[in-house]
Amino acid sequence: MIIKPKVRGFICTTAHPEGCKALVKEQIDYVKAHKSAANGPKKVLVIGSSMGYGLASRITAAYSFGAATIGVIFDKPASGNRTASSGWYNTAAFEQLAAEDGLYAKSINGDAYSQEIKDKTIELIKADLGKVDCVVYSLAAPRRTAPDGTMYTSVLKTVGESYTNKTIDLRNRTVSDITVEPATEDEINATIKVMGGEDWKLWIEALKAADAIEDDAVTMAYSYIGPAITHPMYADGSIGKAKDDLFATAKQMTSDGTIKAYISVNKALVTQSSAAIPIVPLYIGILFKVMKEQGCHEGCIEQMCRLFNEKLYGGNVETDDENRIRMDDLEMQDHIQAEVNKLWDKINTDNIAECADLDGYFEDFYKLFGFGADGIDYEADTDADVKIPSITE
Ligand code: NAD
């Protein structure tokens, strides 16, 4: 079929297999060109490995250190006239390219929050790798069914008071004010259940109980802090409460045993998850403009390559006073944030193109689904039915 993007709000319901493959290849090439001589992990489990930061982590581990990787994904194959999800195509491409390069890569498709998928993953680790020495926890999910069967839905709201600020309507590129209402106590608790540390800890405990993780393994999950304009929505909002819980879980896991658990505070980037947060996409559009102009812009792969090669495995782990790894170091530089603030104050619908890099934003958004890759003929008839080598559906 000829596959075109079909965008609904902040989601695209189609994905392009050849485009996804080209973009995965681009990330691999980036890592090959930027890997350090650091001694890194060799057997890596990435939970949430099909898109965004998780995919970039998997690619980095494999191509910086030759690591064998097992990825947990939650994606759909093609069926009828529907394409597969882009995470499906990314995973298929990664496995194919890794195999060509002699690297072990297998994936498990299903709900990472479930016991069934934990059991399946551990079975695969035991059979093929014995133990893992690094676990990346990179889930971004709207809901979770907890072990007792209760389903929790996360919300992106403020805590305490409502907050009004500018936002962008991505459909027509207009700027207007939005008021985000505070979450209820139940909504905050549900968000913590979905995006907090409970499930991360369950994974590590299950791996330990099965003797499927090395005693000196490293595990990390990702968080975001950002500048004051985003705080009511993010760091101080319902998602921020979940991230506080994630952070507390990291501290607890590290103090409980020999495994080192880290939170890496990453840069704000266009991913399927961040597109859904009010106010944040407008901030990202402005941030991209400023960071590109200053020559310090990074995407997921640049961030993860720097995390693994320089901050985590380059010798001593480089952390801030609270033991967090700061991959947002470039984003949070004073001169960058001062410029962002100036543009934030003046941006409106009329001057949006001069104040924010919306073209860059949309380029990244379409690339999430495999559209806009160099060298791909998007008018060509394309086979949407792509298999992931390690997955039998
Ligand atoms: P993403 O949407 O690109 O990726 C999330 C991944 O989780 C996808 O591969 C998805 O398939 C997978 N997933 C979701 N639910 C799942 C489930 N039930 N079972 C298995 N897999 C599942 O998101 P992202 O932006 O890369 O986010 C990853 C982490 O990074 C999150 O913790 C997020 O808060 C954090 N982070 C993101 C940003 C940003 O700006 N995007 C910045 C800092 C930190």
Side-chain angles (χ1 to χ4, degrees), residues 3-76:
I3 305 170
K4 297 280 173 190
K6 277 194 198 141
V7 177
R8 310 243 179 289
F10 44 76
I11 200 91
C12 178
T13 59
T14 53
H16 200 284
E18 298 300 327
C20 288
K21 186 170 185 180
L23 292 164
V24 167
K25 173 89 174 44
E26 229 174 63
Q27 294 197 48
I28 289 174
D29 290 344
Y30 178 87
V31 177
K32 282 181 177 169
H34 291 86
K35 67 179 182 180
S36 69
N39 217 355
K42 294 289 176 225
K43 295 168 291 179
V44 179
L45 170 63
V46 183
I47 303 158
S49 65
S50 71
M51 305 269 291
Y53 277 120
L55 174 65
S57 304
R58 185 178 197 181
I59 293 172
T60 300
Y63 282 89
S64 291
F65 313 115
T69 59
I70 292 180
V72 179
I73 67 168
F74 199 25
D75 282 281
K76 287 201 175 79

Side-chain angles (χ1 to χ4, degrees), residues 63-365:
Y63 282 89
S64 291
F65 313 115
T69 59
I70 292 180
V72 179
I73 67 168
F74 199 25
D75 282 281
K76 287 201 175 79
S79 89
N81 58 2
R82 291 171 61 116
T83 70
S85 56
S86 56
W88 180 275
Y89 291 139
N90 289 338
T91 305
F94 177 75
E95 281 197 16
Q96 284 163 14
L97 294 164
E100 284 167 23
D101 290 322
L103 293 166
Y104 172 102
K106 287 190 185 175
S107 311
I108 300 273
N109 190 28
D111 182 1
Y113 291 120
S114 71
Q115 190 58 43
E116 183 202 343
I117 291 301
K118 290 183 177 74
D119 291 344
K120 267 193 179 176
T121 308
I122 288 169
E123 202 180 300
L124 181 63
I125 293 170
K126 302 277 288 178
D128 287 7
L129 306 180
K131 296 180 184 192
V132 288
D133 56 6
C134 173
V135 178
V136 177
Y137 188 81
S138 187
L139 295 185
R143 66 191 66 82
R144 165 186 174 211
T145 303
D148 66 2
T150 312
M151 217 250 275
Y152 296 96
T153 302
S154 66
V155 295
L156 293 160
K157 292 187 179 179
T158 62
V159 168
E161 288 170 13
S162 63
Y163 178 57
T164 302
N165 210 326
K166 295 173 186 180
T167 198
I168 182 173
D169 185 333
L170 291 169
R171 289 163 302 188
N172 49 23
R173 301 191 182 201
T174 54
V175 177
S176 57
D177 274 357
I178 186 171
T179 298
V180 183
E181 297 300 332
T184 64
E185 231 15 71
D186 281 352
E187 286 176 324
I188 295 167
N189 289 334
T191 308
I192 294 171
K193 281 281 182 188
V194 181
M195 291 297 286
E198 188 176 76
D199 183 65
W200 183 21
K201 190 158 176 258
L202 286 175
W203 268 100
I204 300 300
E205 281 173 353
L207 288 160
K208 277 188 189 169
D211 198 22
I213 186 165
E214 300 286 359
D215 290 341
D216 59 351
V218 166
T219 182
M220 61 264 196
Y222 301 138
S223 187
Y224 182 66
I225 295 177
I229 40 172
T230 65
H231 282 180
M233 255 334 294
Y234 201 103
D236 297 337
S238 52
I239 180 74
K241 296 293 166 212
K243 294 296 184 186
D244 290 347
D245 183 71
L246 197 70
F247 184 35
T249 306
K251 279 191 192 160
Q252 193 204 336
M253 288 198 293
T254 298
S255 67
D256 276 358
T258 52
I259 290 170
K260 296 263 179 302
Y262 292 101
I263 294 295
S264 172
V265 180
N266 296 344
K267 179 191 180 191
L269 283 177
V270 183
T271 64
Q272 247 181 319
S273 310
S274 67
I277 309 175
I279 299 169
V280 169
L282 184 62
Y283 165 73
I284 291 179
I286 296 175
L287 180 72
F288 277 21
K289 178 186 164 67
V290 175
M291 291 187 81
K292 283 178 186 174
E293 278 173 4
Q294 306 271 342
C296 60
H297 176 69
E298 293 179 317
C300 287
I301 198 65
E302 290 87 347
Q303 281 264 296
M304 293 301 96
C305 201
R306 205 155 60 84
L307 168 65
F308 278 76
N309 283 283
E310 292 176 25
K311 301 252 186 188
L312 196 53
Y313 289 102
N316 288 335
V317 179
E318 203 182 305
T319 61
D320 66 8
D321 295 346
E322 300 205 51
N323 208 33
R324 297 170 301 198
I325 302 174
R326 300 303 297 262
M327 296 312 304
D328 63 345
D329 47 359
L330 302 180
E331 168 181 357
M332 297 309 290
Q333 293 173 103
D334 289 346
H335 69 284
I336 298 288
Q337 288 300 324
E339 196 54 35
V340 168
N341 276 334
K342 263 195 239 160
L343 292 168
W344 184 269
D345 287 343
K346 78 174 203 193
I347 197 167
N348 57 41
T349 301
D350 297 333
N351 64 17
I352 193 164
E354 87 197 47
C355 293
D357 179 24
L358 280 196
D359 290 341
Y361 185 98
F362 278 101
E363 192 182 306
D364 285 3
F365 177 80

